[in-house]
Amino acid sequence: MAREKIATLLIEDEQLSADALTIILEGEFHYDYQTTHVHTLQEAQASLKLNGFDLIILDLVLPNGEGVELVTKIRSLAPHAALVVWTGLSGAELELEALYAQADLFMTKGNYSNKALQSAVRQAVYRVRRLNDAVSEAIGPQK
């Protein structure tokens, strides 16, 4: 059975973290993540303006910005993508702030097994797709 392709934007300035996450996603059995990796907010914004993505994985500490403001900026450019925060920062308050800023999932680096990370990302993609389908169905065909 062919795996469904998921256009993925990985926004991560640390190359080792990006490589590790890419390998973990490649091992996922359901989706075929087609990953574009960028290192900065500016690169991410340029990619989002040129391409559509199903999934965005965002680190909250980048060379040119950090914190929940990054979630807001990325969400404004990709309102229909699943947005996963994957960061070395932790804390319940930060997690809630990211979710209030419309992240779909908040994960702290190093706190999950590969299988748990794959499952959480898969579920986020699935939930967002179901929501987008429901909204499209409710609105009806656009002319």
Side-chain angles (χ1 to χ4, degrees):
M1 181 171 117
R3 297 182 302 161
E4 182 180 356
K5 292 182 192 256
I6 301 295
T8 304
L9 179 61
L10 173 55
I11 309 166
E12 168 63 69
D13 62 317
E14 295 178 13
Q15 190 64 49
L16 288 176
S17 292
D19 291 345
L21 184 57
T22 300
I23 289 168
I24 292 167
L25 291 177
E26 286 173 355
E28 212 279 325
F29 69 91
H30 186 74
Y31 292 128
D32 178 10
Y33 295 96
Q34 306 290 306
T35 304
T36 299
H37 174 221
V38 298
H39 296 88
T40 67
L41 177 60
Q42 283 84 4
E43 292 172 336
Q45 290 169 319
S47 284
L48 287 166
K49 288 176 183 174
L50 295 174
N51 305 295
F53 291 95
D54 304 302
L55 169 64
I56 300 166
I57 301 174
L58 172 65
D59 184 13
L60 289 185
V61 179
L62 298 174
N64 55 342
E66 82 176 56
V68 175
E69 308 81 47
L70 294 174
V71 175
T72 304
K73 289 176 181 179
I74 296 300
R75 176 54 79 200
S76 70
L77 294 170
H80 303 293
L83 178 53
V84 174
V85 171
W86 188 62
T87 185
L89 303 175
S90 63
E93 186 174 324
L94 179 62
E95 180 179 344
L96 287 173
E97 287 175 14
L99 294 171
Y100 288 141
Q102 298 185 356
D104 296 300
L105 180 65
F106 184 98
M107 300 189 78
T108 304
K109 293 177 186 176
N111 284 356
Y112 300 91
S113 70
N114 292 358
K115 294 292 182 198
L117 180 60
Q118 290 169 342
S119 177
V121 170
R122 182 174 54 248
Q123 289 175 45
V125 169
Y126 181 77
R127 279 192 307 270
V128 169
R129 285 195 160 183
R130 285 192 55 195
L131 177 62
N132 288 339
D133 289 347
V135 168
S136 293
E137 188 176 304
I139 294 173
Q142 300 294 308
K143 296 180 183 186

